[in-house]
Amino acid sequence: METMIKKYQQKFKKVKEHTQTWDELQSLLLSHFRNASSIIQRLQLIQDSKKYGSLKSVDGIEAAVLAKQMDSLQNILFSMDKTLEEFRFIVISLEKIAHDGRQLVRGGGSVQPKIGKLQQRIGIKPSLSDCLEGLVQLHDMHQSEYLLKSSVVSALPTITLGPSESDLEALQQLLVDQPNIPKDEVQFIYDVIFAEDIC
Amino acid sequence: MTESPSPSPSRLWRPAAQRNLRNQWANLSSYKHKWLTLSSSARSHATSLVNSSLNQRFVNARDLGVLSDLPGIIKKASFKLSKQQELHRSKLLASYRSMVAIVNQMMTIGASMRCFPKGPDNSSMLQFSNSSVDATDAGDGGGVPPFTFWSISSFEKLAEELIQMFTMELNLKRLLVIHFISMSSEDVQHNIELSWMDELYIGEFDDLRKCNLYSIEACTPLLPKVKGRNTDKLKLHTENRLDADVLQVYLTTWLSDVNIDKYRLDEIFTSVGEEMNVTLV
């Protein structure tokens, strides 16, 4: 039983590594989003020929500036898609870890052990069901968050057609907040799993 | 038949031409990076200048309510902003000046891709030169490719295409620099007049002449334009000097580098690198 708990703790350490990568990807995604936002907010302005001042004399300048800005925007959107792929990869890894966790209690077989055994606690160590639930919860949180990020990013091309500063701010806030991954709940899970390390 | 003690010039030419080309293109690549970096810092100076000028207008126009009892508060704030603007203005000009210098260097490189013999008995190669002492030697090995496929002219044509991008973009940015440094929200008397035909720093027109951006007959720098198009006349608009939207468009235009096709630039450096068997970043 103790060795099983240790194995689970190893799995949670692996999960932590993945979530650290997640945090790095999060910074990257936010940076891309801010850049995309700046461009989108300027789009209407740069299509207004009255706002070109002395540049009006320079034939073809409007079209050239617009073309360059659209090209930049395309590149940023492409990078965001690539970053989303990396998030998806983490979700898949977390799913695999949770799956392996379930297999661990069955001893590789298909027999579900008794509830009593699963909920047994020795001292402050976590129960087996604490471990299982923790892994599943962490996976579910990140999967929901990935789906949210995905829909925010796919909303961008539509927003480009009718940009609104408040819409963009709202979307950015959603990305920043990560509502599906409440920090205190995550911390609570780790506190239960690694209780003996804390005391 | 005895062999001549010194190798013939044509045998010397090839390795010297290879060395020269690799050098020149490595320099070209490094100047490209420098120009892009300078352009980016110039843009931050311009942005700071724009913000400071807009702030100053705001401060001057504002009703500060209870604060207006404090003696000279508007004057002090305005003065500080003016000092800031001075600083940003001179940094912007310094960056612009460095960008002109870089384009000059690029022009020199573009004209230095040929190799001519020198020394007694033509026994060693001058690495590069703009012209030959001997009018019959074109310095291009008679059209023989120094590496595998391309002749010296092919290298020169690509360099010219590349340098042209930076030259045209520099000229367009010149127009923007003129606008940025002539913003002022203080007394109208202190407003600097806008003109395409005034030097931005002492010696600027000499530098522009070296870049083929100055017309000696017309005594004016060439008009800025977008690649593939022509600008007939330049009319400088002075009425909306502090229009925030127009300034935003100017800053976006600076950022866009409309005359620099980044994809084509990469393509040129990649293919030149492949021909010369080196990696050019």
Side-chain angles (χ1 to χ4, degrees):
Chain A
M1 164 78 167
E2 275 203 25
T3 41
M4 277 252 249
I5 300 291
K6 280 214 164 42
K7 282 189 185 162
Y8 276 110
Q9 286 174 334
Q10 283 305 99
K11 290 196 189 302
F12 276 95
K13 289 208 171 107
K14 203 84 224 308
V15 167
K16 253 202 171 155
E17 278 171 27
H18 283 303
T19 54
Q20 262 158 8
T21 313
W22 180 283
D23 290 339
E24 286 160 28
L25 290 173
Q26 168 77 343
S27 304
L28 191 58
L29 187 69
L30 286 177
S31 156
H32 287 320
F33 191 88
R34 273 182 226 116
N35 291 339
S37 249
S38 305
I39 296 182
I40 293 174
Q41 284 174 357
R42 289 197 285 256
L43 278 179
Q44 273 178 334
L45 178 63
I46 63 177
Q47 291 177 79
D48 182 359
S49 38
K50 293 194 288 294
K51 298 293 181 177
Y52 272 79
S54 302
L55 285 173
K56 271 200 286 255
S57 310
V58 179
D59 192 36
I61 192 75
E62 257 179 75
V65 171
L66 183 62
K68 282 283 187 149
Q69 290 286 287
M70 288 306 291
D71 189 59
S72 283
L73 184 59
Q74 294 270 66
N75 284 339
I76 297 174
L77 290 177
F78 182 69
S79 299
M80 284 178 98
D81 283 341
K82 284 208 328 205
T83 308
L84 278 178
E85 263 309 289
E86 304 276 313
F87 277 117
R88 193 175 79 93
F89 181 72
I90 292 181
V91 172
I92 292 176
S93 305
L94 293 181
E95 187 186 24
K96 183 164 192 309
I97 295 176
H99 176 263
D100 290 347
R102 276 191 289 272
Q103 290 303 95
L104 203 54
V105 275
R106 293 178 180 158
S110 53
V111 180
Q112 181 75 346
K114 293 210 167 44
I115 303 261
K117 177 137 190 262
L118 286 178
Q119 290 177 342
Q120 183 185 28
R121 277 203 185 85
I122 300 172
I124 51 169
K125 285 197 219 286
S127 66
L128 290 177
S129 79
D130 287 337
C131 295
L132 277 174
E133 274 169 31
L135 288 176
V136 168
Q137 268 180 311
L138 288 171
H139 163 259
D140 287 348
M141 284 179 190
H142 287 83
Q143 180 172 55
S144 307
E145 190 56 34
Y146 162 73
L147 290 172
L148 175 62
K149 288 187 197 309
S150 228
S151 41
V152 165
V153 171
S154 9
L156 274 181
T158 324
I159 288 212
T160 306
L161 298 172
S164 131
E165 197 173 330
S166 48
D167 283 351
L168 283 168
E169 269 172 30
L171 286 178
Q172 181 166 318
Q173 203 52 48
L174 267 179
L175 284 183
V176 168
D177 287 344
Q178 301 201 104
N180 293 301
I181 308 180
K183 278 207 164 86
D184 46 356
E185 279 182 40
V186 171
Q187 194 51 49
F188 180 74
I189 295 174
Y190 285 124
D191 287 346
V192 167
I193 304 297
F194 293 107
E196 49 193 334
D197 294 345
I198 302 173
C199 297
Chain B
M1 299 279 278
T2 49
E3 265 189 46
S4 63
S6 55
S8 67
S10 50
R11 286 249 304 273
L12 282 177
W13 178 85
R14 204 155 183 200
Q18 289 188 352
R19 258 196 310 278
N20 183 37
L21 283 171
R22 288 198 176 113
N23 252 355
Q24 303 296 6
W25 279 88
N27 289 339
L28 208 50
S29 174
S30 140
Y31 281 124
K32 169 198 87 168
H33 284 297
K34 287 201 179 106
W35 196 95
L36 292 172
T37 307
L38 275 170
S39 176
S40 180
S41 45
R43 186 173 65 90
S44 336
H45 300 317
T47 307
S48 305
L49 185 52
V50 166
N51 288 338
S52 184
S53 304
L54 291 174
N55 280 344
Q56 189 174 41
R57 182 179 64 166
F58 183 66
V59 160
N60 285 340
R62 198 174 188 181
D63 170 21
L64 295 177
V66 78
L67 283 177
S68 52
D69 289 345
L70 291 170
I73 190 163
I74 290 183
K75 255 188 141 176
K76 279 193 189 135
S78 195
F79 179 72
K80 275 207 174 125
L81 287 169
S82 291
K83 283 277 146 207
Q84 266 182 11
Q85 281 165 41
E86 257 318 301
L87 187 63
H88 295 312
R89 204 174 285 133
S90 59
K91 281 185 179 168
L92 174 60
L93 266 177
S95 301
Y96 167 72
R97 188 172 184 161
S98 303
M99 287 163 74
V100 177
I102 289 181
V103 174
N104 275 347
Q105 295 283 52
M106 288 179 168
M107 298 286 297
T108 308
I109 292 177
S112 305
M113 299 207 167
R114 300 181 173 221
C115 280
F116 301 93
K118 71 160 183 187
D121 305 324
N122 288 337
S123 56
S124 56
M125 298 303 284
L126 189 68
Q127 287 300 306
F128 56 89
S129 165
N130 290 5
S131 58
S132 168
V133 173
D134 174 8
T136 60
D137 185 355
D140 63 347
V144 168
F147 291 95
T148 316
F149 300 110
W150 300 351
S151 63
I152 293 270
S153 330
S154 308
F155 284 100
E156 284 174 333
K157 284 204 183 74
L158 286 173
E160 195 185 318
E161 185 187 338
L162 195 155
I163 296 171
Q164 185 63 337
M165 290 187 204
F166 287 94
T167 312
M168 287 179 69
E169 186 56 24
L170 181 71
N171 208 22
L172 183 60
K173 286 179 154 63
R174 181 175 194 269
L175 180 58
L176 298 174
V177 171
I178 290 175
H179 276 84
F180 290 135
I181 64 177
S182 61
M183 284 185 299
S184 177
S185 56
E186 288 189 275
D187 329 301
V188 180
Q189 299 124 311
H190 290 155
N191 271 351
I192 312 165
E193 260 317 303
L194 288 180
S195 163
W196 181 250
M197 298 186 294
D198 291 331
E199 274 195 325
L200 289 175
Y201 57 85
I202 299 176
E204 190 205 1
F205 287 172
D206 286 330
D207 291 342
L208 291 181
R209 215 172 288 138
K210 286 184 219 154
C211 303
N212 295 332
L213 281 176
Y214 187 81
S215 161
I216 302 178
E217 311 89 57
C219 293
T220 174
L222 298 182
L223 295 183
K225 56 184 180 165
V226 168
K227 181 166 194 268
R229 306 289 213 117
N230 244 319
T231 302
D232 297 320
K233 273 191 326 207
L234 193 61
K235 181 176 183 299
L236 295 190
H237 288 238
T238 57
E239 50 301 340
N240 38 25
R241 232 184 271 226
L242 281 181
D243 182 336
D245 283 345
V246 173
L247 293 171
Q248 170 85 300
V249 170
Y250 288 166
L251 287 171
T252 308
T253 306
W254 185 289
L255 167 68
S256 298
D257 282 339
V258 296
N259 285 316
I260 300 180
D261 183 344
K262 292 234 160 82
Y263 302 112
R264 177 65 185 146
L265 206 58
D266 284 343
E267 200 176 43
I268 291 177
F269 276 110
T270 306
S271 46
V272 167
E274 274 168 10
E275 172 70 8
M276 300 193 308
N277 229 338
V278 295
T279 316
L280 289 169
V281 173

